[in-house]
Amino acid sequence: MTERIVLDCDPGHDDALAMILAAGDPRVELLAVTTCAGNQTLPKVTRNALAVCAVAGIEVPVAAGAVGPLVRPQMVAPEIHGESGLDGPVLPEATLELDPRHAVDVIIDVVMAAEPGTVTLVPTGPLTNIALAMRKEPAIVERVKRVVLMGGSYTRGNKTPTAEFNIAADPEAASAVFSAPWPVTMVGLDLTHQATADADVVARIEAIGSPLSSFVVDVLEFFGSTYREQQGFTDGPPVHDLCCVAWLCDPEVFTTQEAFVAVELTGTWTNGMTVTDFAGLFGRPNNTDVAITLDKPRLWDMTVDAIASLSARTEGAVR
Ligand code: BDR
Ligand code: CA
């Protein structure tokens, strides 16, 4: 059975890879792409989403959403993703028109039009759009199959010692998403730091020899350079967001463990921390499947296959 998904993202190098896998793997059906301010401002990440659609031949509704977080001042990440939010590759002109609806309405429309329990939400940026959609149409909570989000960590953060960027950027929205009674999978840094795009992966992608594969190589090279400089990743950048889509293609790609997860909103030093209680110490029911261990070869095999398959589909792409 194919997993039908809405990808809510802030492209973003790893968001771009998530889009490409979602479009190129037959086990997932990409229903819509929605954007949220995060790695860069909303106009920039939306432009980037449309550029990825152009290069990968993706033809689904793309809608722009929240311009900033629910409560806190905006945070962007030029030190990782550059001034455009997707520095490195030449970005093609958009071939799709932006959907005139707000992202929140696209999320609601897709979920409410589908059979209950058949649509999975995949947020790979701050959770602002998802929280706003829940508030605008609470009925989505019981109709969504699952939320598979990239964010958080049960060990260390990357924005602060305890907070990961997507959660730190809009902790109130994240708290609403974790607290709602829908199944949540947290694909946090503990998992995604295992998903590095090493030199052999880049070489395999380059060998496909298409405009799309060259684009992906440029994406990974820029992302690799900032991760090397900023966070000391010498073996390639961790392609966080890709892991969410990969798990929906094949649940064997990582293991999970149940826990109660709460987002810290009032800590002196710990705002945005995903406090993860595996041992039931708070006496609260588990609300999250937490990603633990990655099968890295499986992740990159399916990603290389998806790039090759999209390359074959796009006009004159394979040389
Ligand atoms: C997350 O933050 C962003 O920089 C990435 O796109 C990813 O979603 C990693 O902390
Ligand atoms: Ca992202």
Side-chain angles (χ1 to χ4, degrees):
M1 208 186 77
T2 55
E3 293 285 349
R4 307 177 77 225
I5 73 169
V6 175
L7 185 57
D8 183 66
C9 55
D10 60 339
H13 297 70
D14 50 332
D15 303 83
L17 267 288
M19 288 175 66
I20 288 166
L21 179 60
D25 193 297
R27 295 167 290 187
V28 158
E29 184 185 352
L30 181 60
L31 302 174
V33 173
T34 52
T35 61
C36 179
N39 287 325
Q40 264 298 351
T41 60
L42 185 71
K44 290 182 182 180
V45 299
T46 304
R47 186 228 184 280
N48 297 342
L50 290 170
V52 174
C53 289
V55 72
I58 299 172
E59 291 179 349
V60 299
V62 178
V67 295
L70 297 183
V71 178
R72 310 208 182 207
Q74 185 168 29
M75 226 179 235
V76 290
E79 70 285 4
I80 297 291
H81 299 276
E83 278 310 315
S84 72
L86 191 52
D87 277 11
V90 175
L91 298 179
E93 288 302 316
T95 47
L96 287 179
E97 291 276 338
L98 194 61
D99 193 292
R101 292 171 291 175
H102 192 280
V104 164
D105 293 313
V106 170
I107 293 167
I108 292 169
D109 290 351
V110 170
V111 171
M112 297 308 285
E115 286 295 309
T118 61
V119 174
T120 294
L121 301 182
V122 185
T124 62
L127 289 150
T128 322
N129 285 341
I130 308 299
L132 289 171
M134 287 166 56
R135 292 295 181 259
K136 186 166 183 191
E137 180 46 274
I140 67 168
V141 172
E142 60 185 27
R143 292 180 75 99
V144 160
K145 182 175 180 187
R146 177 171 282 274
V147 178
V148 181
L149 65 92
M150 192 283 133
S153 157
Y154 56 87
T155 53
R156 299 182 191 183
N158 59 2
K159 186 62 192 174
T160 75
T162 54
E164 181 279 330
F165 176 82
N166 288 340
I167 308 298
D170 196 344
E172 283 73 18
S175 178
V177 171
F178 278 102
S179 307
W182 49 14
V184 175
T185 302
M186 176 172 103
V187 185
L189 296 175
D190 325 280
L191 188 284
T192 66
H193 281 181
Q194 301 165 50
T196 48
D198 309 340
D200 67 307
V201 165
V202 178
R204 286 172 67 194
I205 295 170
E206 193 163 26
I208 295 169
S210 69
L212 176 60
S213 71
S214 307
F215 178 88
V216 173
V217 168
D218 291 347
V219 163
L220 291 175
E221 280 179 354
F222 183 88
F223 203 38
S225 70
T226 56
Y227 259 98
R228 193 162 47 245
E229 286 156 22
Q230 300 290 325
Q231 296 192 26
F233 278 75
T234 50
D235 292 335
V239 188
H240 312 275
D241 299 342
L242 178 67
C243 300
C244 295
V245 177
W247 188 65
L248 291 164
C249 296
D250 177 0
E252 301 280 302
V253 81
F254 60 71
T255 60
T256 60
Q257 190 177 333
E258 282 190 345
F260 169 71
V261 177
V263 178
E264 179 59 85
L265 299 176
T266 55
T268 304
W269 299 101
T270 54
N271 278 314
M273 179 178 185
T274 42
V275 179
T276 306
D277 181 6
F278 287 111
L281 300 175
F282 287 137
R284 303 275 187 133
N286 292 333
N287 60 357
T288 306
D289 291 305
V290 180
I292 309 283
T293 305
L294 181 71
D295 182 338
K296 186 169 159 180
R298 203 180 272 258
L299 171 76
W300 288 113
D301 284 352
M302 75 172 83
T303 304
V304 171
D305 287 351
I307 297 167
S309 136
L310 281 179
S311 296
R313 265 190 249 162
T314 46
E315 191 191 335
V318 178
R319 286 197 290 268

